[in-house]
Amino acid sequence: MSEFQRHRRLRKTGSIRALVRETFLRKEDLIYPLFIVEGTGVKQEVSSMPGVYHYSLDLLSEELDEIVRLGIQSIIVFGVPEHKDETGTSAYEENGIVQKGISYIKERHPELTVIADTCLCQYTDHGHCGVIRDGDVLNDDSLALLAKTAVSQAQAGADIIAPSNMMDGFVAAIRGGLDEAGFEDTPIMSYAVKYASAFYGPFRDAAHSTPQFGDRKTYQMDPSNRLEAIREAQSDYEEGADFLMVKPVLAYLDILRELKDRFPLPLVAYNVSGEYSMIKAASQNGWIDEREVVLEMLTGMKRAGADLIITYFSKDAARWMDEDKR
Ligand code: PBG
């Protein structure tokens, strides 16, 4: 008998490695973010996110066709409105950019699952995720507007509502609003655990949602905290969330695992803009192998506990998966 274990036996050939592989990335796991802007003829690359574009509605069809052709089944949509004001009225207008976008997408591709990000920060002139009084973001006043936004998105045809603004009680408020409006079958994908992260930088360029004063630390979480993540997830679970999300991911893989072990809900990882831009920048410099790094990273997120991944790499990953099959 040998005195040590021969782990290498199970790594000997590609087919043995395939036989014992534990984690798989599937196209169905991927959710692709889309930015929709007002106007016509707009297809503009976000400067800090190479490969990610703003689209006006008239140019969206080509992008949608490509997404569907690649086998991606779900998208999350963000509206970038022209008009911003104190209470973010363009977030819940019947004819708001995101509402128009959602109905256009559902008309053209009813088979795509359309998730609506429900927040106010792109729509308020101060760039905060709720209503402001004396420099403070008011929790309960913001809830009513969020519920209104969610209902307008569901009316436009959104399949899933994804509230991201981190007000306390947002799941209960939105659930109540949706149920009252007859959308009791519309699921809520809660950004349950959202940290106040520097990794959102490029998104704020993309969505024009940088806060005009202060920061988001009174509503988004402190990166140092783990128990607080469990409390946040627990309350969203009790309020009736259908999915839980952790955001960002790379610095928070422990939190993903923790939530996966504790809550019997589908778990979503949001691979955020800064995590995308870092890899893009390094690969454009020839410093890393983009394909290998991205697939390793996405697999790592699944291994850590993610069932689904929102990622700007969705299209690339789907393409690479097709190549692997050939
Ligand atoms: C809206 C929202 C943000 C992101 C998703 N929804 C920005 C923020 O909270 O500042 C960030 C996504 C990303 O960085 O890719 N509140």
Side-chain angles (χ1 to χ4, degrees):
M1 228 205 39
S2 80
E3 298 146 38
F4 57 86
Q5 293 265 332
R6 294 204 178 268
H7 301 290
R8 292 180 57 194
R9 276 179 203 137
L10 298 185
R11 298 178 202 139
K12 212 169 162 190
T13 65
S15 59
I16 292 180
R17 291 193 293 275
L19 204 59
V20 299
R21 190 154 295 137
E22 300 173 32
T23 307
F24 299 92
L25 187 64
R26 310 172 314 151
K27 286 187 182 181
E28 291 85 344
D29 304 332
L30 303 171
I31 301 170
Y32 188 59
L34 264 190
F35 295 100
I36 308 171
V37 299
E38 311 260 14
T40 51
V42 185
K43 177 185 177 184
Q44 197 184 6
E45 194 170 41
V46 177
S47 58
S48 50
M49 300 177 74
V52 172
Y53 294 82
H54 279 172
Y55 286 98
S56 54
L57 278 186
D58 58 319
L59 296 189
L60 198 58
S61 65
E62 215 176 288
E63 174 79 345
L64 293 171
D65 294 347
E66 191 188 11
I67 290 167
V68 170
R69 192 172 58 243
L70 286 167
I72 294 167
Q73 300 183 352
S74 313
I75 57 174
I76 181 163
V77 290
F78 296 94
V80 186
E82 239 151 42
H83 171 76
K84 296 179 189 247
D85 58 27
E86 224 183 317
T87 53
T89 46
S90 53
Y92 37 87
E93 260 167 15
E94 198 186 324
N95 252 335
I97 182 63
V98 97
Q99 288 76 4
K100 282 191 290 192
I102 292 167
S103 22
Y104 176 83
I105 296 166
K106 287 307 289 185
E107 211 169 283
R108 210 182 151 85
H109 287 290
E111 76 279 20
L112 264 180
T113 296
V114 177
I115 305 168
D117 178 87
T118 307
C119 196
L120 299 178
C121 59
Q122 290 114 271
Y123 306 91
T124 51
D125 51 14
H126 44 73
H128 278 287
C129 304
V131 185
I132 302 279
R133 192 180 307 139
D134 303 327
D136 197 23
V137 181
L138 299 180
N139 196 83
D140 300 16
D141 296 39
S142 304
L143 290 180
L145 297 184
L146 267 188
K148 211 166 149 179
T149 304
V151 169
S152 75
Q153 292 168 333
Q155 276 161 348
D159 297 295
I160 299 177
I161 297 298
S164 66
N165 86 331
M166 290 299 280
M167 294 302 116
D168 290 328
F170 70 21
V171 174
I174 288 175
R175 187 71 274 157
L178 289 173
D179 290 356
E180 205 174 298
F183 294 104
E184 48 283 271
D185 287 333
T186 302
I188 297 177
M189 179 183 283
S190 173
Y191 287 66
V193 177
K194 180 172 177 182
Y195 287 93
S197 170
F199 285 99
Y200 307 149
F203 174 94
R204 292 180 187 171
D205 291 344
H208 305 158
S209 64
T210 307
Q212 297 304 300
F213 66 88
D215 52 40
R216 303 208 203 288
K217 289 182 183 163
T218 67
Y219 43 107
Q220 298 181 350
M221 286 176 47
D222 183 336
S224 312
N225 294 352
R226 180 179 68 87
L227 294 175
E228 191 184 352
I230 298 167
R231 293 199 295 274
E232 278 281 1
Q234 181 74 37
S235 57
D236 287 11
Y237 178 68
E238 285 163 8
E239 289 173 34
D242 300 282
F243 300 78
L244 295 176
M245 195 191 300
V246 173
K247 176 184 175 190
V249 202
L250 289 183
Y252 304 91
L253 290 165
D254 57 326
I255 306 296
L256 267 183
R257 169 50 54 195
E258 189 105 39
L259 261 55
K260 185 68 199 166
D261 289 344
R262 282 175 195 257
F263 299 99
L265 286 181
L267 185 60
V268 187
Y270 197 138
N271 179 207
V272 302
S273 56
E275 297 170 334
Y276 174 83
S277 302
M278 290 192 304
I279 290 180
K280 277 286 169 192
S283 68
Q284 284 184 347
N285 273 297
W287 295 339
I288 56 171
D289 179 332
E290 180 177 4
R291 177 196 151 112
E292 294 301 312
V293 165
V294 170
L295 292 175
E296 181 178 334
M297 171 183 77
L298 297 176
T299 303
M301 292 173 187
K302 288 214 66 185
R303 194 195 60 242
D307 298 298
L308 305 169
I309 306 171
I310 301 177
T311 179
Y312 303 96
F313 285 114
S314 297
K315 289 199 305 182
D316 297 320
R319 216 174 278 121
W320 293 326
M321 284 184 226
D322 285 340
E323 284 169 17
D324 282 349
K325 282 201 198 92
R326 265 185 248 135

